[in-house]
């Protein structure tokens, strides 16, 4: 499953084909995941406002718990891709199984914490007396799906490392369809209310996990890879994931600080902020799809001892990131009269939203570079540097953002601070890329 390095004749076109083949299905899979919550909200919303409020709180807690462990996908992709590049498919799949076993262990641990603390967690998020019982019910039931969700993350990383982003797309579509049908059937057909929505999530997530495991197990048997848990391998997967966990937590802290500052600016500003943040996140899905392609491609080149191919692929993907950022920025500006009315009819919110949205549009090329280089360094297994760079970024962003209200700034000033955050990330990642220290070849880093 290795591929010859790019030749001087048309290397850009060669990388373009690889990037498109991996990024387009990855984008579809990324977009499918948030649709789970949207479907749940649409179904539960007809039960009443307290039920919907409870779902919102519980879903936020559930997604936060799962997103913390996204390193299961990132670290596994890089490790598996290196083995693929080295031409050792049995070891690649064995590496992936270590990540899957780690996901199962972490999932069980999270359930053990969540079940007894669910009421306290719900209260911590400020649930009202009417919404709290529904939030607790949903959280307790849906938390049973966490092992499946984490297995899906790890198995997705395995397939991405094997240069396969189509299977995750098909599984995501199937899971979304099953979740929608189960929600309607269990909430209304079986009369289970919000508990039915939670059970629908559990069933759909476990079905997705089983689908992934069938694919991985089939590959393991085909190539003679062991499926048994290996303590040393699981420990190595955990160690590789720690720096990426630090990176993820630092990034989550940035977003939480931004939301907290927006809340201090008043209801109009926090409402506009949520709209801008939603659109910013949507743009991130498109750029992250290219970054995922970068993880798989870079890991494979380095595993094949092809430093030149890795550099050329990195250069081409950065060009893709800049171009994509420019296109996304233009789309935000051009389509704003169409999508802003979909979010709000409040003129004050619209007036607050518009200048902040223009800042986001202008910053998209920067975001393009950041996402791509983030993916390149993840593919290279350069987690410790990513963790350090994100901590530096957090240290710069936090005081600037917290000073926005003190100096009378509004939402536009806050999103200028967010742009500063992205610029700091770009500088730190660009310096690492230029240094070449991320280029460590071989089947393992």
């Amino acid at each position: 499953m290795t591929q010859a390095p790019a030749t001087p004749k048309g290397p850009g076109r060669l990388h373009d084909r690889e990037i498109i083949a991996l990024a387009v299905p990855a984008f579809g899979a990324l977009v499918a995941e948030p649709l789970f919550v949207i479907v749940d909200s649409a179904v539960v919303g007809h039960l009443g406002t307290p039920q919907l409020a409870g779902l919102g709180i519980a879903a936020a807690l559930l997604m936060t718990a799962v997103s913390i462990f996204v390193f299961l996908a990132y670290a596994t992709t890089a490790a598996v891709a290196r083995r693929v590049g080295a031409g050792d498919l049995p070891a690649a799949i064995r590496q992936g199984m270590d990540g899957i076993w780690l996901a199962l262990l972490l999932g069980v641990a999270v359930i053990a914490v969540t079940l007894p603390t669910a009421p306290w967690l719900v209260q911590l998020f400020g649930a009202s007396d009417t919404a709290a019982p529904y939030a607790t019910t949903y959280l307790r039931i849906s938390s049973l799906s966490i092992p499946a969700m984490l297995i899906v993350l790890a198995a997705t990383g395995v397939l991405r490392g094997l240069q396969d982003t189509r299977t995750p797309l098909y599984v995501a579509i199937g899971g979304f369809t099953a979740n929608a049908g189960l929600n309607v059937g269990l909430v209304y057909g079986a009369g289970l209310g919000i508990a039915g929505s939670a059970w629908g999530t559990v069933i759909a997530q476990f079905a997705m996990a089983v689908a992934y495991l069938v694919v991985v197990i089939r590959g393991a048997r085909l190539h003679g890879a062991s499926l048994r848990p290996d303590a040393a391998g699981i420990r190595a997967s955990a160690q590789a994931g720690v720096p990426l966990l630090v990176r993820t937590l630092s990034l989550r802290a940035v977003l939480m600080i931004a939301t907290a500052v927006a809340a201090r600016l008043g209801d109009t500003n926090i409402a506009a902020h949520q709209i801008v943040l939603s659109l910013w996140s949507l743009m991130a899905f498109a750029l992250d799809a290219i970054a995922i392609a970068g993880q798989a491609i870079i890991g494979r080149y380095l595993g094949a001892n092809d430093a030149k191919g890795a550099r050329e692929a990195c250069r081409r993907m950065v060009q893709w990131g800049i171009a994509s950022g420019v296109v996304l920025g233009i789309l935000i500006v051009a389509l704003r009269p169409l999508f802003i009315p979909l979010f709000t009819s409040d003129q004050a919110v619209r007036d607050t939203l518009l200048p902040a949205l223009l800042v986001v549009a202008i910053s998209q090329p920067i975001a393009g570079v950041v996402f791509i280089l983030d993916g390149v360094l993840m593919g290279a297994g350069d987690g410790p540097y990513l963790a350090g760079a994100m901590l530096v970024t957090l240290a710069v962003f936090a005081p600037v953002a917290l000073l926005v209200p003190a100096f009378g700034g509004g939402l536009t000033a806050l999103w200028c601070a967010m742009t500063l955050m992205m610029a700091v990330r770009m500088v730190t990642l660009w310096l690492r890329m230029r240094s070449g220290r991320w280029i460590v070849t071989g089947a393992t880093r």
Side-chain angles (χ1 to χ4, degrees):
M1 294 182 66
T2 58
Q3 181 166 334
T7 58
K9 182 181 179 179
R13 288 193 295 274
L14 172 63
H15 293 309
D16 288 347
R17 289 195 296 271
E18 284 188 297
I19 293 167
I20 292 172
L22 291 171
V24 172
F27 176 70
L30 288 169
V31 171
E33 285 301 318
L35 295 179
F36 273 78
V37 177
I38 293 174
V39 168
D40 287 2
S41 299
V43 174
V44 171
H46 291 286
L47 295 174
T49 299
Q51 289 91 331
L52 183 58
L55 170 67
I57 293 169
L61 285 164
L62 186 68
M63 290 301 102
T64 297
V66 173
S67 65
I68 288 173
F69 300 108
V70 72
F71 69 83
L72 289 166
Y74 294 157
T76 304
T77 297
V80 171
R82 276 184 176 270
R83 298 285 191 180
V84 169
D88 192 348
L89 282 177
I93 297 173
R94 174 66 260 176
Q95 190 92 41
M97 285 304 305
D98 292 336
I100 290 173
W101 280 111
L102 175 62
L104 179 60
L105 293 173
L106 290 173
V108 172
V110 174
I111 288 180
V113 172
T114 304
L115 285 178
T117 61
W120 176 79
L121 290 171
V122 167
Q123 291 299 328
L124 184 65
F125 265 60
S128 66
D129 291 339
T130 54
Y134 296 111
T136 301
T137 296
Y138 188 92
L139 181 60
R140 277 182 166 158
I141 296 173
S142 62
S143 68
L144 299 177
S145 68
I146 290 177
M149 291 180 175
L150 299 189
I151 288 172
V152 166
L153 282 177
T156 299
V158 175
L159 295 181
R160 288 173 181 170
L162 294 171
Q163 318 296 297
D164 176 10
T165 57
R166 289 183 178 273
T167 299
L169 172 61
Y170 300 147
V171 174
I173 292 173
F176 166 73
T177 303
N179 182 64
L182 287 165
N183 262 265
V184 174
L186 295 175
V187 172
Y188 298 111
L192 296 180
I194 195 169
S197 177
W199 282 117
T201 296
V202 172
I203 295 170
Q205 290 292 343
F206 270 99
M208 291 173 66
V210 168
Y212 274 116
L213 289 175
V214 167
V215 174
V216 174
I217 290 172
R218 184 184 299 140
R221 289 176 175 170
L222 178 64
H223 296 286
S226 173
L227 297 172
R228 294 178 180 178
D230 176 66
I234 294 172
R235 186 165 54 251
S237 294
Q239 290 172 346
V242 169
L244 295 180
L245 175 62
V246 172
R247 167 204 168 273
T248 300
L249 290 174
S250 301
L251 182 56
R252 297 291 299 183
V254 165
L255 299 178
M256 289 175 64
I257 290 170
T259 300
V261 170
R264 291 178 60 188
L265 296 174
D267 290 348
T268 298
N269 282 278
I270 186 61
H273 174 74
Q274 288 305 115
I275 296 172
V276 176
L277 187 60
S278 297
L279 291 168
W280 187 79
S281 299
L282 180 61
M283 300 302 103
F285 282 133
L287 297 173
D288 203 27
I290 306 174
I292 287 170
Q295 293 172 33
I297 294 170
I298 294 297
R300 193 192 73 230
Y301 272 114
L302 294 178
N305 295 309
D306 186 357
K308 179 182 178 183
R311 288 192 186 92
E312 290 177 347
C314 174
R315 188 179 303 112
R316 189 60 175 175
M317 281 183 285
V318 168
Q319 293 171 355
W320 268 78
I322 295 171
S324 298
V326 170
V327 171
L328 291 173
I330 292 172
L331 287 176
I332 290 173
V333 174
L335 299 179
R336 70 189 190 282
L338 299 178
F339 62 74
I340 289 180
L342 298 177
F343 288 98
T344 179
S345 58
D346 188 323
Q347 191 58 48
V349 174
R350 292 185 182 185
D351 291 342
T352 304
L353 166 67
L354 186 56
L357 200 58
L358 293 177
V359 171
V360 171
I362 293 170
S363 69
Q364 283 307 293
I366 297 175
V369 175
V370 169
F371 275 85
I372 300 311
L373 292 181
D374 207 38
V376 166
L377 296 185
M378 283 184 189
D382 204 10
Y385 183 84
L386 289 172
M390 198 62 227
L391 286 172
V392 169
T393 301
L394 176 60
V396 173
F397 169 77
V400 174
L402 293 173
L403 285 173
V404 167
F407 283 91
L411 187 66
T412 302
L414 175 59
W415 276 92
C416 285
M418 288 287 285
T419 300
L420 171 65
M421 179 272 295
M422 294 298 287
V424 172
R425 288 186 72 190
M426 183 180 70
V427 170
T428 57
L429 298 177
W430 184 267
L431 289 174
R432 185 64 167 181
M433 187 272 290
R434 289 296 300 270
S435 75
R437 294 176 184 173
W438 57 278
I439 300 177
V440 179
T441 58
T444 57
R445 184 177 173 87

